[in-house]
Amino acid sequence: MLEYLSIFVIEVIFLHVDIQNYTTNQRNVHCIIMVFMWAFFIGVLLLFSRKYYYFPARGNKRDKISLKNWIVTLACFIGCKIITFIDWHTLKLIGEAQGKTVLQFCVQYLYYIFEGMLV
């Protein structure tokens, strides 16, 4: 919903952007707007969860992640990279960097990082 709010309210009404014909700079602005919106939303969720649900709970600093959980995590990571390689025919990072400026690439990955925090 944050994406729709950005596209159909902020960008169309306030910035007068034609969402059907994004230019490179407009796409960068969209990504930056979304990063700020997600950062704000994540902050609100953290404050709300801390106030009403006492989350994150203060755990024992001696609690360690088990070897089994590390192995499962590593296996999932490797599986994800293999599937992505099959889909993109290269590492996704390299595939997405092709044909983009450094600014476009950095803005897009900021977008991905904040989007991933909400998922």
Side-chain angles (χ1 to χ4, degrees), residues 19-116:
I19 61 172
Q20 301 299 323
N21 300 308
Y22 267 145
T23 65
T24 302
N25 288 334
Q26 288 170 337
R27 177 71 181 154
N28 289 344
V29 168
H30 168 75
C31 289
I32 291 169
I33 289 170
M34 288 308 305
V35 164
F36 282 108
M37 289 177 70
W38 283 324
F40 175 78
F41 188 69
I42 290 167
V44 169
L45 282 177
L46 288 174
L47 290 173
F48 181 83
S49 64
R50 176 172 230 139
K51 182 176 181 179
Y52 293 102
Y53 299 108
Y54 309 106
F55 181 80
R58 303 254 185 230
N60 186 352
K61 290 186 178 184
R62 296 181 196 167
D63 291 343
K64 301 217 177 196
I65 299 172
S66 70
L67 179 62
K68 177 184 172 187
N69 287 341
W70 278 114
I71 292 170
V72 169
T73 301
L74 183 62
C76 289
F77 178 76
I78 291 169
C80 179
K81 291 299 161 193
I82 290 170
I83 290 170
T84 303
F85 188 85
I86 291 168
D87 185 36
W88 282 77
H89 305 293
T90 185
L91 294 174
K92 187 174 186 227
L93 188 69
I94 294 169
E96 290 210 353
Q98 294 172 348
K100 290 189 172 117
T101 65
V102 173
L103 176 65
Q104 288 174 309
F105 181 76
C106 291
V107 168
Q108 183 173 353
Y109 266 84
L110 273 175
Y111 174 93
Y112 286 159
I113 288 168
F114 278 87
E115 179 184 33

